[in-house]
Amino acid sequence: MDFELEQSKDLQAFRKEVREWIEANLPPPISTRDRRKETLQDFKNAREFHRKLGAKGWRVPWAPKEYGGLGLSIEKTLIIDEELDKVEDTIASLDDNGPGVILPPILTYGTEEQKQTWARGIIEGRQIWWQGLTEPEAGSDLASAQTRAVPDGNDWLISGNKIFQGSGYEQDMYYVLAISHPDRPRHHNFSVFCFSLHLPGVSWSPMRLIATDRNSVYMDNVRVPSSAILGQPGQGWQVTQAQLEVEHGYGGAVRPDRVVPKVLDFMREGPKKGGPIAGDAVLRDRYVDNFIGSRVGVLFQLRNLSQRLNKQFGSYEGSQNILHDKVYGVQQAARNLEITGLYGLMDDEHEAPSYGDIEAHQRGSIVFTHPAGTIEVHKVIMARRIGMSATRERAAATV
Ligand SMILES: Cc1cc2nc3c(=O)[nH]c(=O)nc-3n(C[C@H](O)[C@H](O)[C@H](O)COP(=O)(O)OP(=O)(O)OC[C@H]3O[C@@H](n4cnc5c(N)ncnc54)[C@H](O)[C@@H]3O)c2cc1C
């Protein structure tokens, strides 16, 4: 079965245009291959590149034209994704939750004015957003969130503590789930508020995780106008489901696994380039398992993106996709270690194979079983949606 995009003349010409544009606009490569050491200048270069990408309409190419996108087809969206993926190793990360997870609820529930300011800001690459859901007592059980929004005239005063929040050198906007209607039952008591992260009363301190940095954010009577509410007051749970549906794997970007080819390079070159180990039957077997796992992941991503852009309502597919990535990621790390031995634990970007990317994957594979819902949570969601659970659940409306 051939899953490659159909190479019509039009698509071939489009790929060439994208490739040439990226080549002409790509910032200087990051000063370090160790993601933990990216500099402010690396970040600023990446930010500028995203602004250019946004101005071109290619940051969220499928997004509607009236908000700064181009309404491009799935084929063209995929081509842009594929070409950007090829240069991702050379660009710093913005850690921006905007295009992937905040945009869908804004497009689904926002007023025209909110779409023109917030959605456009994301699509054009002018705003970096943090996503404020998780709290010290509310991770998997998000409905236990305690952040409060208290009405004060035409304004609201927001107080609370969110954890595992974004990182990076610069940030602009915050998307916060808060209890606005404490007398209403669970799930009907929330609103979503969007506001500047630089308002008085907002502060944060670093959380250093083994794989990445996050922040703990504190809100102390942060004053926001009623126009900061996304959706209706009290509709926050529903609004957030529009976001989680996509965050849970229902049709985001299509990103082939980046470590699998690097491990193949290691096998071909051998430790310290001292001769191939690819002939070892056991290691080859481990590698093939990883190769298959990564291809299955891409097929789930392709199916989900296609369903989403063709407006076919998803069900269990998002969780199936992300569950595969998480479970496979942990298995993959164990197999990589079998293949590379201690070389897979070297993190010196000058000495380690693939600049330490295999080691970074070792650290990340465990941590990344948590964000966007844990393995157990996704099993629960799938069980509910395929009718294996006493509780039945349907997918939330989203774009
Ligand atoms: C790198 C990273 C980035 C993140 N980014 C963000 C972000 O940008 N914004 C944000 O708001 N949050 C973010 N998070 C938080 C993330 O969403 C939470 O970590 C996640 O929801 C899990 O919550 P928790 O860590 O509190 O684990 P807990 O909910 O305390 O779970 C602990 C363990 O218990 C299991 N468990 C919990 N409930 C059940 C159950 N009912 N049945 C079976 N098992 C269960 C879980 O699966 C898990 O293994 C991020 C986390 C990480 C690690």
Side-chain angles (χ1 to χ4, degrees):
M1 214 182 304
D2 184 3
F3 289 102
E4 296 304 316
L5 287 177
E6 187 205 338
Q7 292 300 311
S8 67
K9 285 226 154 47
D10 174 44
L11 289 182
Q12 279 173 13
F14 185 68
R15 189 181 289 279
K16 185 164 174 285
E17 183 191 342
V18 174
R19 214 174 266 168
E20 287 172 358
W21 186 91
I22 292 177
E23 224 173 272
N25 290 282
L26 199 61
I30 36 176
S31 57
T32 165
R33 281 294 297 265
D34 186 338
R35 295 266 169 202
R36 294 167 296 187
K37 295 183 193 153
E38 283 167 3
T39 63
L40 175 62
Q41 191 55 52
D42 292 331
F43 185 92
K44 284 187 181 297
N45 289 344
R47 195 155 191 194
E48 183 54 26
F49 178 68
H50 278 266
R51 282 205 188 96
K52 287 184 188 168
L53 205 55
K56 181 87 181 155
W58 286 354
R59 191 165 194 243
V60 193
W62 56 265
K65 284 185 185 165
E66 56 269 43
Y67 308 121
L70 293 174
L72 285 192
S73 66
I74 176 164
E75 289 87 356
K76 290 192 170 172
T77 298
L78 270 174
I79 285 174
I80 295 173
D81 241 29
E82 283 175 2
E83 294 304 318
L84 284 174
D85 187 63
K86 289 179 189 161
V87 296
E88 205 168 277
D89 272 347
T90 73
I91 307 174
S93 156
L94 293 188
D95 203 349
D96 181 6
N97 287 137
V101 295
I102 311 284
L103 184 61
I106 295 176
L107 289 178
T108 310
Y109 289 101
T111 61
E112 188 53 29
E113 196 187 336
Q114 290 171 338
K115 289 183 198 170
Q116 286 300 345
T117 49
W118 299 337
R120 193 174 267 283
I122 291 171
I123 294 164
E124 293 181 351
R126 289 182 289 100
Q127 295 167 354
I128 292 180
W129 284 65
W130 283 5
Q131 172 206 35
L133 303 181
T134 309
E135 299 187 6
E137 301 300 329
S140 301
D141 182 16
L142 184 60
S144 292
Q146 291 302 313
T147 293
R148 293 277 164 150
V150 179
D152 186 43
N154 279 335
D155 296 340
W156 293 77
L157 295 172
I158 303 180
S159 298
N161 173 206
K162 301 281 179 184
I163 54 172
F164 292 118
Q165 303 297 284
S167 60
Y169 284 99
E170 293 170 6
Q171 51 293 120
D172 303 296
M173 292 292 292
Y174 205 16
Y175 170 104
V176 172
L177 182 70
I179 294 181
S180 54
H181 296 75
D183 299 335
R184 292 193 190 167
R186 193 172 147 93
H187 298 132
H188 298 272
N189 51 350
F190 289 109
S191 299
V192 164
F193 296 83
C194 299
F195 52 89
S196 165
L197 268 159
H198 303 286
L199 286 183
V202 186
S203 60
W204 55 87
S205 60
M207 296 174 78
R208 304 250 180 258
L209 307 185
I210 189 170
T212 178
D213 285 348
R214 306 306 288 167
N215 280 289
S216 183
V217 176
Y218 311 95
M219 290 162 283
D220 181 10
N221 279 316
V222 181
R223 182 174 289 280
V224 301
S226 299
S227 57
I229 297 183
L230 179 59
Q232 296 300 313
Q235 203 186 13
W237 190 255
Q238 215 176 325
V239 172
T240 293
Q241 295 312 307
Q243 169 208 321
L244 290 177
E245 202 58 49
V246 178
E247 185 174 0
H248 286 174
Y250 177 55
V254 176
R255 288 280 188 257
D257 187 305
R258 311 173 68 73
V259 174
V260 165
K262 293 173 183 171
V263 172
L264 184 58
D265 288 344
F266 178 87
M267 293 179 76
R268 284 181 172 146
E269 291 172 353
K272 293 279 180 189
K273 306 196 191 323
I277 55 169
D280 184 306
V282 174
L283 300 186
R284 230 171 30 213
D285 185 72
R286 300 292 180 270
Y287 180 79
V288 167
D289 282 342
N290 279 354
F291 182 81
I292 293 170
S294 83
R295 294 305 296 168
V296 170
V298 168
L299 293 179
F300 282 145
Q301 291 171 21
L302 279 169
R303 178 200 59 192
N304 290 6
L305 181 64
S306 150
Q307 277 191 334
R308 181 170 167 209
L309 297 192
N310 289 316
K311 307 213 178 316
Q312 293 166 345
F313 224 41
S315 160
Y316 61 89
E317 293 90 340
S319 286
Q320 183 189 36
N321 173 17
I322 205 163
L323 189 54
H324 168 80
D325 283 352
K326 286 170 186 272
V327 174
Y328 157 69
V330 175
Q331 294 167 344
Q332 180 192 14
R335 291 187 203 119
N336 283 348
L337 207 51
E338 271 190 75
I339 296 170
T340 60
L342 291 180
Y343 291 97
L345 297 179
M346 285 173 65
D347 69 349
D348 181 324
E349 60 178 303
H350 305 293
E351 292 289 329
S354 298
Y355 308 95
D357 290 346
I358 300 172
E359 187 274 344
H361 181 267
Q362 291 291 325
R363 281 180 286 119
S365 61
I366 298 297
V367 172
F368 290 112
T369 58
H370 266 236
T374 64
I375 287 175
E376 291 74 22
V377 163
H378 284 292
K379 286 183 178 167
V380 170
I381 294 174
M382 281 192 75
R384 287 178 175 172
R385 293 192 180 182
I386 60 182
M388 281 173 56
S389 159
T391 314
R392 297 295 171 97
E393 177 187 283
R394 287 170 49 184
T398 191
V399 294

